[in-house]
């Protein structure tokens, strides 16, 4: 299996909420095409309702076995990147756990129990990198329909009265 890896930077928004149970929420804001020379968790801007952070670097991994999913993401017209973060030791600090361009993997992250999951628009340079990977490694797989067992529900048993069958 062929793979490619690209380092990106992740920017998050921490938004204040007027809610009796939680005082803020986190969401991915964008993915940077390059990793900046900025320390993780640096405050980029602060406003009355939201603070923007550079969360740190992350890797986008591409695998030749997943090119159909990347192709579908690109063909959607508004390709997305999925970002997942998890709270460290039940506290308030977050850790980047996954950044992916695979919609199937992104949807699975929603079910995995990560604390913060969201999508951001895919930057054009990253889209071009993924498109080149798909062009080089995608192999169209032919769908082979399985044939069912013979009708009758005997599932390999011989009907009663046939030689070797019950009865």
């Amino acid at each position: 299996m062929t793979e490619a890896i690209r380092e990106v930077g992740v920017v998050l928004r921490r938004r204040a909420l007027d809610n009796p149970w939680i005082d803020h929420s986190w969401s991915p804001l964008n993915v940077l095409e390059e990793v900046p020379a900025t320390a993780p968790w640096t405050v980029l801007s602060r406003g009355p309702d939201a603070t923007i952070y550079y969360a740190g670097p992350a890797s986008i991994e591409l695998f030749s076995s997943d090119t159909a999913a990347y192709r579908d993401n690109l063909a959607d017209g508004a390709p997305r990147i999925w970002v997942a973060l998890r709270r460290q030791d039940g506290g308030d600090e977050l850790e980047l756990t996954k950044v992916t361009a695979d919609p199937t993997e992104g949807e699975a992250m929603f079910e995995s129990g990560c604390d913060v999951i969201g999508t951001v628009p895919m930057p054009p340079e990253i889209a071009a990198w993924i498109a080149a990977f798909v062009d080089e490694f995608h192999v169209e797989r032919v769908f082979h329909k399985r044939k069912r067992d013979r009708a009758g529900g005997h599932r390999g048993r011989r009907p009663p009265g046939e030689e070797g069958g019950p009865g």
Side-chain angles (χ1 to χ4, degrees), residues 21-37:
W21 294 280
I22 55 174
D23 62 351
H24 66 277
S25 69
W26 290 94
S27 61
L29 187 60
N30 60 25
V31 171
L32 307 173
E33 296 171 351
E34 302 292 331
V35 174

Side-chain angles (χ1 to χ4, degrees), residues 10-139:
V10 177
V11 178
L12 300 176
R13 176 188 300 137
R14 183 181 190 263
R15 184 173 294 179
L17 299 176
D18 183 19
N19 184 304
W21 294 280
I22 55 174
D23 62 351
H24 66 277
S25 69
W26 290 94
S27 61
L29 187 60
N30 60 25
V31 171
L32 307 173
E33 296 171 351
E34 302 292 331
V35 174
T38 303
W41 299 106
T42 297
V43 173
L44 301 177
S45 70
R46 195 179 306 267
D49 296 330
T51 304
I52 308 299
Y53 291 86
Y54 169 65
S59 297
I60 295 176
E61 297 179 83
L62 302 180
F63 300 95
S64 57
S65 59
D66 297 331
T67 55
Y70 309 138
R71 182 191 62 198
D72 292 347
N73 189 2
L74 294 170
D76 185 33
R80 312 293 294 170
I81 298 285
W82 283 257
V83 178
L85 298 101
R86 185 166 274 139
R87 296 195 191 288
Q88 293 181 348
D89 302 322
D92 208 26
E93 290 186 30
L94 294 172
E95 166 189 21
L96 280 168
T97 57
K98 188 74 176 173
V99 176
T100 184
D102 180 346
T104 307
E105 187 176 20
E107 293 301 321
M109 291 186 322
F110 280 100
E111 299 172 5
S112 72
C114 287
D115 295 306
V116 176
I117 300 167
T119 63
V120 297
M122 184 184 294
E125 187 177 305
I126 293 173
W129 171 67
I130 293 170
F133 185 85
V134 169
D135 288 346
E136 185 173 351
F137 297 107
H138 181 69
V139 175

